Structure formats: structure tokens, C-alpha cells
Amino acid sequence: MVMPYDSTPDTLRHSLRVAELMGELIKELLDRSVRHDLSKTREPERAVYDKFVPSLRATNYGSVEYLTLVEAMGEGLRHHYAHNRHHPEHFANGINGMTLVDLLEMLVDWKAATERTAHGDLAASLTINRERFDIAPQLMDILVNTARHFGWLAAEPDHNAAS
């Protein structure tokens, strides 16, 4: 007599394998959480950030004044982008070169950056960055859904802004 199939052992093995693979993602996220932006504490970045961060905090993200300051950061900022994968500027093809882990760190970085200024707003930053980095509609939805899931949005990004 053939015993009826019991899917429980296969399901439990699958569940353990998924946990193992998710552990790899979690480890990567934890490693990045303790290494995030440490290059800013060393030259050639530190002097540039010491000089420009106070002015950047006083400007509105995406404004002409902000963009002028970012351009003036020159080699220090280019070094930062070259050594930090959570920036689209790190990749020759921008956001399309990023991994999901890069994207998660990027979104968290954008959220934390909005908290450093008086007028910071993640919804506004997402709207600006959608155009700045040519974020595809589907990816934009995923970023917004993630931010919404964690309660990071005080308002909704403008999905209708011109790209």
C-alpha cells in the first residue's frame, strides 16, 4: 500500500532554506547599517562635508542653491559616490545597476537625509529623485510602497510630475 504524500517535511525544508537565504540578505543589511557613510569620516571626503553640510542643511533639496552646493563639493562627493553603492551615481547606468540591497539602503538614506533639514520631506524627495534618477514607474511604486509600509511618508509623492 502506498502511503499518502505528506507535504509537511518538504515545506519545512523549503522554509528553512528560505530562512537561510534571507539570513544572507539580513547579514548584508546589518553590515551596511554599521558601515553606512563611514567614508565621510576620512579624507578626501571629510573636509568637503565639514565645509558644505551646514549650507546644505539650510537649503531645500533639489533647489538651484542645493544643486550649486552639490556641484561645488567636487572631488570629495565624487569619491563618496565611487565608494558607496547606495548612490545611483556609483553605477555607470545609475539606478539600473543597483541591487535590491543597494535600493533599500538608498531609500533609508533618503529618509534619514530628510530628517536632517527643517523642510525635509521624503515624499518630495521621492518626487524629485524620480526625475533626477529616471526611476521607472514600477520601481517608484515599490519605493513608495516600502516607505508607506514603514510609515515614513507624511504625504504622497507626486506621481504626475513630469519625467
Side-chain angles (χ1 to χ4, degrees), residues 1 11 15 22 48 89 135 160 162:
M1 174 175 187
T11 299
S15 181
M22 287 187 75
V48 171
E89 297 91 342
I135 301 173
N160 299 315

Side-chain angles (χ1 to χ4, degrees), residues 79-140:
H79 182 275
H80 183 69
Y81 291 156
H83 292 85
N84 291 275
R85 298 179 52 93
H86 64 276
H87 291 285
E89 297 91 342
H90 178 86
F91 300 93
N93 59 342
I95 224 162
N96 291 326
M98 299 175 89
T99 68
L100 285 174
V101 175
D102 297 333
L103 291 169
L104 287 169
E105 185 177 5
M106 177 191 76
L107 180 61
V108 169
D109 188 41
W110 291 354
K111 169 58 177 157
T114 67
E115 296 172 358
R116 295 175 77 177
T117 65
H119 302 291
D121 175 53
L122 184 58
S125 292
L126 284 165
T127 299
I128 292 165
N129 289 337
R130 182 173 57 79
E131 184 172 341
R132 178 179 176 192
F133 298 116
D134 193 25
I135 301 173
Q138 184 177 36
L139 177 55
M140 184 65 177

Side-chain angles (χ1 to χ4, degrees), residues 2-19:
V2 175
M3 297 290 291
Y5 174 72
D6 179 358
S7 65
T8 301
D10 283 343
T11 299
L12 292 175
R13 276 191 295 277
H14 173 74
S15 181
L16 288 173
R17 180 61 178 146
V18 168

